[in-house]
Amino acid sequence: MGWNSWYGFGCKVTDSLIRAQADALVASGMKAAGYEYINIDDCWQGQRDARGVIHGNANFPDMKALGDYLHSKGLKFGVYSSPGPKTCAGYEGSFGHEEQDAEAYAAWGVDFLKYDYCSFKGDVPAQVAAYKKMHEALEKTGRPMVFSLCQYGMDRVWAWGPAVGGNMWRTTDDLDYRYDRISLVGFGQNGLERFAGPGHWNDPDMLLVGLGKMSEDENRTQMSLWSLLAAPLLASLDLTQKNVQALAILKNLEVIAVNQDPAGVQGRRVAQEGPLEVWMKPLADGGRAVGLFNRGESAMPVTAFFRDLGVGESATVRDLWASKDLGVFKASYTANVPKHGVVMIKVTSEK
Ligand code: GLA
């Protein structure tokens, strides 16, 4: 869980902007809710010196000092590079400098590397070798760093991501700021659940919550679905702006608990009726987190049948967004769900 600069700021990133976002992550209560990583995406890179050592550009004069600042706030420090010679935005990539770059990151106190395909060219064995090379370089430093593969879900990356040391891998090309794209990607994750588990996760890209183009129900849909998917939760909104509604969604502790559940099982679709979908994530305590989603254009009732959830005939139901126990139900639970919205519940078999 954390924050990434890309969707909110693109290439307009600077040292002071990152520090301000880190301050705001703490002040807004996001850190207390579990968001921990501050990841600079593309556009921090400067030139290599005569020895080939990478440095930050003029906007990032001292990467080590920035890392120290983040750590002093109890946060973790993420950076971004590419296995190709150039990053997607045309900055310096790590091709041919993998060990040097890994050493630089370790010296700066980096905790997370997003490694983005971009200008790399190669078939699957070449991709595997390139990602593995950086993984080995990171390992060699002795500093633990989360290794985030960004390769847009080509060539079934989920099948080989763990073997190259990936802790997470993008399963898809970029999102954008619209519900249509986010729902296409999010609901399209079904079937990938068997490739995810503790330490190696499917990544359907960042949370666009609070970035402007989605309604409150749509924001809640993304947060609910990403939680049921056990997906990395990386927000990207400007945390220095007061965005009460978005922050309430991002900080909902009961929904976050579903995402962070220790069993680490990725949820899946258990029922569909046209635009109405029911998704279920089994939890460590035996309960089931359930999303009743309405992808249609008007409010409709959505029913979760307990037999589809693998719970007994009689079960208690709690509304997670409303933080409210709803009582004991027999065989099924039905809620009226707004257009593009969700009702998220926890269902627990009665003993
Ligand atoms: C690609 C990635 C994005 C972002 C940009 C940066 O498009 O998929 O997440 O990192 O590059 O240039």
Side-chain angles (χ1 to χ4, degrees):
M1 292 175 69
W3 178 91
N4 173 299
S5 56
W6 184 249
Y7 284 113
F9 297 97
C11 275
K12 296 197 199 92
V13 279
T14 64
D15 178 286
S16 56
L17 181 143
I18 297 296
R19 287 176 194 241
Q21 293 299 320
D23 294 347
L25 189 91
V26 176
S28 62
M30 286 282 281
K31 174 172 184 274
Y35 295 85
E36 192 183 16
Y37 287 82
I38 293 279
N39 296 345
I40 316 172
D41 206 276
D42 209 346
C43 312
W44 62 265
Q45 306 86 343
Q47 300 301 318
R48 295 186 182 279
D49 64 22
R51 288 176 300 126
V53 175
I54 188 81
H55 296 276
N57 58 37
N59 290 324
F60 290 94
D62 190 338
M63 292 292 274
K64 162 101 174 61
L66 178 54
D68 288 346
Y69 183 76
L70 298 176
H71 292 146
S72 76
K73 307 218 116 199
L75 300 173
K76 298 216 154 116
F77 181 23
V79 295
Y80 165 105
S81 189
S82 171
K86 293 284 174 211
T87 69
C88 292
Y91 289 76
E92 191 67 18
S94 292
F95 182 75
H97 294 275
E98 291 82 359
E99 286 203 7
Q100 265 182 324
D101 286 0
E103 280 163 22
Y105 305 153
W108 299 339
V110 166
D111 305 295
F112 181 110
L113 174 66
K114 174 173 169 181
Y115 208 43
D116 193 352
Y117 191 81
C118 301
S119 65
F120 186 83
K121 296 218 173 357
D123 55 13
V124 178
Q127 292 172 31
V128 167
Y131 278 96
K132 201 156 175 229
K133 190 168 195 182
M134 185 48 108
H135 167 63
E136 284 166 0
L138 295 174
E139 291 268 284
K140 207 170 154 195
T141 69
R143 183 176 175 86
M145 293 181 237
V146 174
F147 191 33
S148 164
L149 277 47
C150 178
Q151 172 272 11
Y152 331 122
M154 296 182 295
D155 304 308
R156 297 183 69 238
V157 60
W158 43 82
W160 52 264
V164 301
N167 299 115
M168 51 194 266
W169 44 82
R170 282 269 299 275
T171 55
T172 165
D173 206 343
D174 294 12
L175 298 179
D176 62 25
Y177 301 83
R178 294 170 307 119
Y179 168 79
D180 285 359
R181 171 79 187 143
I182 291 162
S183 61
L184 182 78
V185 167
F187 291 106
Q189 299 299 299
N190 198 46
L192 297 185
E193 59 276 359
R194 72 189 170 92
F195 300 99
H200 54 100
W201 310 99
N202 289 308
D203 173 15
D205 206 4
M206 293 166 232
L207 293 170
L208 275 297
V209 174
L211 277 163
K213 298 266 160 51
M214 287 195 289
S215 70
E216 185 170 3
D217 283 321
E218 292 169 345
N219 278 324
R220 235 184 250 126
T221 288
Q222 192 190 17
M223 184 70 186
S224 304
L225 188 52
W226 265 234
S227 293
L228 290 161
L229 290 169
L233 298 181
L234 291 168
S236 191
L237 76 173
D238 182 353
L239 293 167
T240 66
Q241 300 297 310
K242 213 174 155 75
N243 191 336
V244 177
Q245 186 210 90
L247 286 177
I249 290 172
L250 291 166
K251 292 194 300 179
N252 184 300
L253 295 181
E254 296 197 37
V255 174
I256 289 172
V258 171
N259 176 267
Q260 295 287 309
D261 183 73
V265 179
Q266 177 172 326
R268 63 190 168 85
R269 179 161 51 225
V270 294
Q272 180 173 13
E273 177 192 320
L276 311 178
E277 302 196 13
V278 179
W279 286 62
M280 185 276 289
K281 179 184 198 291
L283 302 174
D285 68 2
R288 308 291 201 230
V290 181
L292 287 69
F293 293 96
N294 176 2
R295 301 176 68 181
E297 299 303 315
S298 61
M300 284 182 263
V302 182
T303 299
F305 290 98
F306 294 171
R307 61 167 185 270
D308 293 336
L309 307 176
V311 299
E313 178 61 18
S314 175
T316 59
V317 176
R318 180 171 174 81
D319 185 321
L320 299 184
W321 283 110
S323 289
K324 200 172 155 209
D325 288 326
L326 301 175
V328 177
F329 290 78
K330 305 269 177 221
S332 69
Y333 175 75
T334 300
N336 199 41
V337 184
K339 159 189 170 176
H340 297 181
V342 59
V343 167
M344 197 163 161
I345 55 176
K346 179 171 174 183
V347 182
T348 309
S349 285
E350 280 225 295
K351 297 277 176 312

